Amino acid sequence: MRCCWVRGCRVASPSPRLRADVPQGDGGPPWSSGAETLGEGGQSPRRRGTGQLGSPAGRSGRRQLPSLLWTLPPVAVLAAVFLYPLTLVVRQSTSPDSGGTSLQPYADVFASAAFRDALGTTVWLAVGATVGCLVLGFVLALVIAFVPFPGGKAVAKFIDVFLSFPSFLITLALLFIYGTVGMANGLWTDATGAHSGPFQFLTTPWGVLLAEITYFTPFVMRPLLAAFSQLDTAQLEVASSLGARPARIVRRVILPEALPALAAGGSLVLVMCLNEFGIVLFTGAKGVTTLPMLVYSKAILESDYPAACVVAVVNIAISVGLYGLYRVVSRRVGA
């Protein structure tokens, strides 16, 4: 029997002759299995990695600090690029030309007939365009998804490309076709010898509505095509084998599956129509004044910056509220 020192504690060690007589089991000495060397004071030593510095809480605390450092730059850029100008707009809306801080600009704008007319025009154009996009987008998506025709896949991919087009490009295309000197009026005057053509609706609210429906319909079609691609075609085959007509199949089978995509796409189109400026400007519809056009008129043409900022704040409040509604609808319907 020999003695050795392990971590400040004297431990008896068997002699080599005794070790040879004792079975080793799985390769380790029997006195090492299940035994733990005692430290000073008779207490068990602290294992590596289980102390305060090596605990999961300590490691997570060290990880949180670099993550906060990585978050600060984008937050600072967002504050400088977006929040600071927005703060200036809100502050300017409460700063009348007479000086000081007052809510009188809000009272003046809300009492004006121009603001009420612009608000009404903005709402009915946005709602009308949204309804038109939902109806037209649903029909076109049905045809592309369930009616086989040559070039169907190319049309579906073109919709993705169409989403990247600027709004004024679609308006210019409509001007080339239906404008005062457009192709349709040119063909009419050449065929009849008339002084002007019959197509003069593009500078009216109906022309703005047509341009918005043309531009925003793909924003409804894209989620619908994605929803139709996940639809089980066996349901359609079973309904057809049972004698259901196509209209009933659409109403009872396809439409319930498309409601989440319709809700999400319609909410998005409504928000975008409320803020549309380029289509109204490029159609040349002088009698059509929306909230974005009123902001432009007050700020650029009349140099009434407090009134322009008031209209802008109202437009932002409506847009943020509708966007919140869009997020709630999208989350609840799972779109």
Side-chain angles (χ1 to χ4, degrees):
M1 183 73 65
R2 294 183 301 176
C3 296
C4 62
W5 292 88
V6 179
R7 295 186 183 182
C9 183
R10 188 181 183 187
V11 180
S13 176
S15 64
R17 184 174 57 83
L18 294 177
R19 292 183 202 168
D21 297 336
V22 178
Q24 300 297 320
D26 57 353
W31 56 83
S32 64
S33 60
E36 186 174 312
T37 305
L38 296 180
E40 296 181 0
Q43 296 181 356
S44 175
R46 180 175 295 175
R47 295 180 180 177
R48 181 178 300 177
T50 59
Q52 185 175 2
L53 294 178
S55 63
R59 291 194 297 269
S60 63
R62 289 196 299 270
R63 286 196 300 266
Q64 287 177 359
L65 184 58
S67 63
L68 290 177
L69 293 178
W70 282 105
T71 306
L72 288 178
V75 170
V77 172
L78 179 64
V81 174
F82 177 73
L83 296 179
Y84 179 68
L86 182 60
T87 303
L88 292 180
V89 170
V90 175
R91 188 175 66 179
Q92 184 64 36
S93 67
T94 59
S95 301
D97 296 332
S98 58
T101 301
S102 174
L103 295 178
Q104 187 61 36
Y106 283 87
D108 295 339
V109 169
F110 291 162
S112 64
F115 172 77
R116 293 194 297 268
D117 294 341
L119 180 61
T121 302
T122 302
V123 171
W124 87 259
L125 279 177
V127 173
T130 302
V131 173
C133 290
L134 289 175
V135 174
L136 183 61
F138 182 72
V139 174
L140 293 179
L142 278 178
V143 173
I144 294 174
F146 299 109
V147 179
F149 63 93
K153 293 184 178 180
V155 173
K157 292 188 176 299
F158 175 74
I159 293 174
D160 296 336
V161 179
F162 189 90
L163 297 177
S164 63
F165 289 172
S167 59
F168 69 85
L169 184 63
I170 306 302
T171 308
L172 287 178
L174 292 176
L175 285 174
F176 284 132
I177 299 175
Y178 300 110
T180 305
V181 293
M183 295 172 55
N185 286 324
L187 292 175
W188 179 269
T189 54
D190 292 342
T192 61
H195 179 68
S196 61
F199 302 103
Q200 305 293 336
F201 66 92
L202 203 57
T203 57
T204 65
W206 300 107
V208 176
L209 186 64
L210 173 64
E212 290 187 348
I213 292 176
T214 303
Y215 178 69
F216 290 113
T217 294
F219 289 87
V220 176
M221 294 177 62
R222 190 64 194 90
L224 280 176
L225 291 175
F228 291 159
S229 65
Q230 300 177 358
L231 183 63
D232 188 6
T233 55
Q235 301 180 17
L236 307 180
E237 296 173 358
V238 170
S240 179
S241 63
L242 293 176
R245 296 182 177 274
R248 187 174 183 182
I249 294 176
V250 172
R251 186 176 68 254
R252 301 296 297 272
V253 180
I254 298 178
L255 184 58
E257 297 293 332
L259 284 179
L262 283 173
S267 302
L268 181 61
V269 169
L270 182 62
V271 173
M272 297 176 69
C273 287
L274 284 173
N275 298 286
E276 183 55 42
F277 175 75
I279 289 178
V280 183
L281 182 65
F282 276 83
T283 53
K286 300 185 181 301
V288 180
T289 303
T290 59
L291 289 180
M293 286 295 297
L294 187 61
V295 173
Y296 173 80
S297 176
K298 292 290 185 182
I300 305 301
L301 303 181
E302 302 178 15
S303 297
D304 189 358
Y305 295 108
C309 291
V310 169
V311 180
V313 169
V314 173
N315 201 1
I316 291 172
I318 296 175
S319 301
V320 171
L322 288 177
Y323 179 73
L325 178 63
Y326 159 71
R327 296 290 297 181
V328 171
V329 170
S330 300
R331 185 165 56 249
R332 293 206 172 182
V333 301

